[in-house]
Amino acid sequence: VEIPPLTRQVTDQAGILSTEMVRQLELKLKQNESETSNQIAVLILSSLEGEIIEDLAVKVFESWKLGQDKKDNGVLLLIAIKDRKMRI
């Protein structure tokens, strides 16, 4: 699985969320970040393409560098639709 660049809080490569749903979710995540400094990102994939979800989640988390250096306050929600798997 190719890891997409982090360009926004919600990356829906499976295309299951409407534009409005993505907008609303991103507003909530931005508000949470401004209030708490916690960084939360969501990646939705169609398939894991044979990868183990835990391993892929670590790769994405490290690539995206979520959270602040000394606060350990980053969260990734990875969802694989066809595999019916999710990892936080």
Side-chain angles (χ1 to χ4, degrees):
V1 175
E2 187 174 322
I3 299 171
L6 178 63
T7 57
R8 52 194 315 176
Q9 281 95 348
V10 179
T11 303
D12 180 11
Q13 292 194 322
I16 63 165
L17 300 178
S18 69
T19 304
E20 181 60 21
M21 288 177 73
V22 170
R23 187 187 71 74
Q24 288 179 12
L25 184 53
E26 286 188 332
L27 283 174
K28 289 180 182 184
L29 294 175
K30 285 177 186 176
Q31 180 180 0
N32 179 68
E33 186 174 347
S34 69
E35 292 173 358
T36 66
S37 80
N38 299 329
Q39 279 188 320
I40 302 172
V42 179
L43 174 58
I44 304 172
L45 303 172
S46 293
S47 169
L48 294 169
E49 299 177 19
E51 288 209 45
I52 298 170
I53 194 164
E54 291 83 2
D55 294 343
L56 181 59
V58 169
K59 289 178 193 175
V60 173
F61 194 86
E62 289 175 350
S63 173
W64 286 3
K65 298 177 179 23
L66 297 171
Q68 297 172 351
D69 276 336
K70 295 180 182 177
K71 289 193 172 186
D72 194 26
N73 61 346
V75 177
L76 170 66
L77 174 59
L78 175 61
I79 302 168
I81 301 300
K82 291 180 184 174
D83 300 285
R84 294 181 162 194
K85 293 188 177 182
M86 177 180 75
R87 180 76 179 177
I88 299 174

